[in-house]
Amino acid sequence: APSASRSSAGSPQVAGRRGPAASASANPTVEKAKLSLAAASEAIEEEAPDPQAEARAAKQRERLKAERETSILAGLDELDRWIGDILARGLAAFLKDAPGLCRIAAQRLVDAKAPALAARIDAFPSQVLSLPLERRADAAIEALGAWHLLAEAYRRQDDLPAALRHDVRRLAGWSEQRQALLDDPQALRLTADWTVMATFSDVQPDKLRRNETWLAGEDGRTALLLDFVPVATGASGPAFLAGERFCAELVFYPSAEPLRALLVSKSQASESAKPVALPDMSEALADFEARRACQPWLGAIPIRFRAGIVRRALKGALWITDGQTSLPLDPRMHDELIVLDGMALEAAAGFWDGQVFAPVSAETQIGTWGRI
């Protein structure tokens, strides 16, 4: 046979004794499969964990973490000196040069690896300069005090309660991994019917779009879903619409006042949900003050209350009052809110920062008013 003549053994009998196994081993496809399996086995062996390599990686991570801690502390020391210089020069000079001064301070904090605090300081000039002239000095004092308080808290973080320590580190720039939060058995989890109070979308200087979705729970709790997406991806704003209602399980980031959360699961809202019993205006303000006492850097957070009338005061400023308590409405929203002048509100929801109230929705006798 021709195959026998090509055999190295040179004998048909030898070829016949090889049988089917010999024929299969001579098949090029089978040989390639064997080589692929061998290569895969070698790759698996190479990927097996190396205890020494893991130990070196862990040591490297600890070294980098320690270096960042040192860098942040040095940056906070420089921030305190900067605040001292501002107070020595006077608030009028600071407000005049706030954009340039804050930009320099923010860049130094970025270099010190405290990006979250840097972003707060960088955003301050646009916030304060949008306020009425008579309110700017007070806003500057409050902001400078909050930054100094954060620097002091960071230096003494080991003496803080665990939840507040998480707040302080997050405000400086440390971040928690989403998966670590989802896997944390100690994390606060709530399943409830939620209503979307408001959504906001802004593009940050770092070319990330910040999408905020504020939720109101059936028990009066509020929650913030916060996402950052690169502008280059062309991604749009928040995935929810104001007024949308659904049932969801949320897991909250550790905090002295849990507010930011992750969406774990979502389903249809209960059709038999009871209306939420809203507090009056003074109760809502007392709750805000209690929450800010626990976490001094809360900023503007949602509050809801029942009953009130919108009135126009001197110089056209708008207020909402229930006869016992009055809140100034955000002057930056004057043109939007003027339609509510003189209206009795059955309920109102919005953001309160301790100075002005920025409504996002209101129930009036002629229907629902919503912020555009």
Side-chain angles (χ1 to χ4, degrees):
S3 60
S5 65
R6 287 195 294 271
S7 170
S8 59
S11 169
Q13 291 80 4
V14 174
R17 286 196 300 270
R18 291 177 181 172
S23 300
S25 63
N27 188 326
T29 303
V30 175
E31 290 295 332
K32 289 181 180 178
K34 287 183 176 181
L35 290 173
S36 298
L37 287 172
S41 298
E42 291 177 1
I44 291 173
E45 290 178 359
E46 291 176 0
E47 292 175 2
D50 179 354
Q52 292 183 345
E54 289 184 348
R56 288 194 297 269
K59 186 176 181 180
Q60 174 73 353
R61 288 193 296 269
E62 287 300 317
R63 184 181 66 80
L64 293 175
K65 181 180 178 181
E67 289 179 354
R68 184 179 180 187
E69 291 282 10
T70 300
S71 179
I72 291 176
L73 288 170
L76 295 177
D77 288 343
E78 187 172 0
L79 174 66
D80 274 345
R81 289 192 291 271
W82 179 77
I83 292 174
D85 291 341
I86 286 173
L87 295 176
R89 292 180 58 203
L91 289 179
F94 170 58
L95 291 171
K96 178 181 178 182
D97 300 327
L101 292 171
C102 288
R103 178 58 54 85
I104 293 172
Q107 186 57 57
R108 289 175 179 170
L109 284 169
V110 169
D111 295 340
K113 300 181 176 60
L117 179 54
R120 279 183 168 238
I121 293 176
D122 198 28
F124 173 73
S126 61
Q127 296 169 355
V128 72
L129 295 177
S130 66
L131 298 174
L133 188 61
E134 62 273 13
R135 287 199 54 229
R136 294 179 186 177
D138 289 341
I141 284 291
E142 185 175 347
L144 293 171
W147 301 337
H148 171 69
L149 181 63
L150 180 58
E152 278 294 294
Y154 194 93
R155 295 185 188 100
R156 304 180 185 184
Q157 59 184 282
D158 291 340
D159 299 327
L160 300 177
L164 186 58
R165 183 172 182 269
H166 278 287
D167 287 317
V168 169
R169 293 181 67 78
R170 186 162 53 246
L171 288 165
W174 295 93
S175 59
E176 292 95 352
Q177 296 296 322
R178 295 170 66 96
Q179 193 58 48
L181 177 63
L182 292 171
D183 295 340
D184 183 2
Q186 303 299 321
L188 173 63
R189 290 174 177 264
L190 290 177
T191 300
D193 287 343
W194 302 90
T195 302
V196 179
M197 289 182 61
T199 62
F200 302 99
S201 182
D202 294 302
V203 176
Q204 301 183 151
D206 57 4
K207 303 302 180 185
L208 289 178
R209 181 179 293 278
R210 176 189 175 97
N211 292 329
E212 297 182 11
T213 301
W214 291 90
L215 305 177
E218 57 190 351
D219 62 348
R221 179 182 287 274
T222 54
L224 167 64
L225 303 181
L226 182 60
D227 289 304
F228 298 91
V229 292
V231 175
T233 64
S236 58
F240 301 98
L241 298 175
E244 187 175 351
R245 190 165 169 271
F246 53 84
C247 179
E249 180 187 4
L250 303 183
V251 55
F252 287 79
Y253 283 85
S255 170
E257 277 299 314
L259 189 66
R260 185 183 174 189
L262 291 179
L263 181 66
V264 178
S265 61
K266 174 176 173 288
S267 60
Q268 293 294 326
S270 171
E271 296 182 358
S272 58
K274 298 179 180 178
V276 177
L278 296 178
D280 62 28
M281 198 178 298
S282 61
E283 292 171 335
L285 295 183
D287 179 69
F288 170 84
E289 293 299 335
R291 297 178 68 181
R292 193 163 67 168
C294 295
Q295 212 278 53
W297 306 279
L298 271 183
I301 61 171
I303 63 170
R304 295 181 292 169
F305 50 85
R306 65 177 185 270
I309 300 176
V310 177
R311 298 294 191 190
R312 192 183 311 198
L314 296 176
K315 300 182 180 179
L318 295 173
W319 290 67
I320 183 170
T321 180
D322 63 1
Q324 301 294 325
T325 306
S326 300
L327 298 180
L329 300 186
D330 192 338
R332 292 167 292 190
M333 297 179 60
H334 184 273
D335 291 345
E336 296 177 65
L337 299 174
I338 194 67
V339 297
L340 298 177
D341 184 19
M343 282 194 179
L345 307 182
E346 298 174 2
F351 291 83
W352 172 249
D353 63 359
Q355 299 292 332
V356 294
F357 179 60
V360 293
S361 66
E363 296 297 328
T364 75
Q365 295 175 341
I366 60 174
T368 300
W369 173 89
R371 186 175 183 181
I372 300 174

